[in-house]
Amino acid sequence: MHPIHPMLVHFPIALLTTGWLFDLLAVWRQDERLRESGWYLSITGLLSAGAAVVTGHFAEEAVEHSGIPKPAIEIHEELAFVAAGIFAALVAWRFAMRMGLMPEKRVLVLVVGAVGLLVLFVASYFGGDLVYRYGAGVLPK
């Protein structure tokens, strides 16, 4: 199978980070256009995270038999699931706020988003560790 996972993982990292930055700017500048941009970037980032998680499952099957320690794979996978879960809950929460089902809590949205980004960045670190320390997905010479 072609290594699609490493090609896709950059999208959720970039989109979710940029979406959070737009949300931060929207709160700071009181600009609804920035908030709208952050909302759409968050949705797109979550969709791309879903694609990264699915392709990560296939990548895991490919590297499990290459001698990479299972705990190294599992920590990356678990952190990625937690990050995806945080952002899925955040998008659902924001949707409920947009529909008027919940009161606006913009600063709390920023805090939860920051926690999600922290988890995402740590998951990314461990994904890079799989490649650069253990050679996951690298063809032997």
Side-chain angles (χ1 to χ4, degrees), residues 31-108:
D31 188 334
E32 287 302 310
R33 294 172 302 166
L34 291 170
R35 185 168 162 242
E36 277 296 297
S37 297
W39 165 245
Y40 289 113
L41 284 163
S42 296
I43 292 170
T44 309
L46 180 61
L47 292 173
S48 66
V53 166
V54 169
T55 59
H57 174 71
F58 294 116
E60 177 186 15
E61 288 180 4
V63 299
E64 275 184 335
H65 306 292
S66 64
I68 296 173
K70 183 78 169 162
I73 297 169
E74 291 298 316
I75 192 165
H76 170 64
E77 179 182 33
E78 289 170 10
L79 287 167
F81 277 130
V82 170
I86 290 170
F87 283 106
L90 188 58
V91 165
W93 180 30
R94 290 180 70 178
F95 179 75
M97 288 189 300
R98 287 173 67 87
M99 300 307 298
L101 301 173
M102 297 179 70
E104 290 282 334
K105 303 285 184 187
R106 294 181 186 186
V107 174
L108 192 54

Side-chain angles (χ1 to χ4, degrees), residues 106-131:
R106 294 181 186 186
V107 174
L108 192 54
V109 165
L110 287 174
V111 171
V112 173
V115 170
L117 286 177
L118 178 64
V119 175
L120 180 62
F121 295 157
V122 174
S124 302
Y125 170 82
F126 282 106
D129 205 40
L130 288 174
V131 174

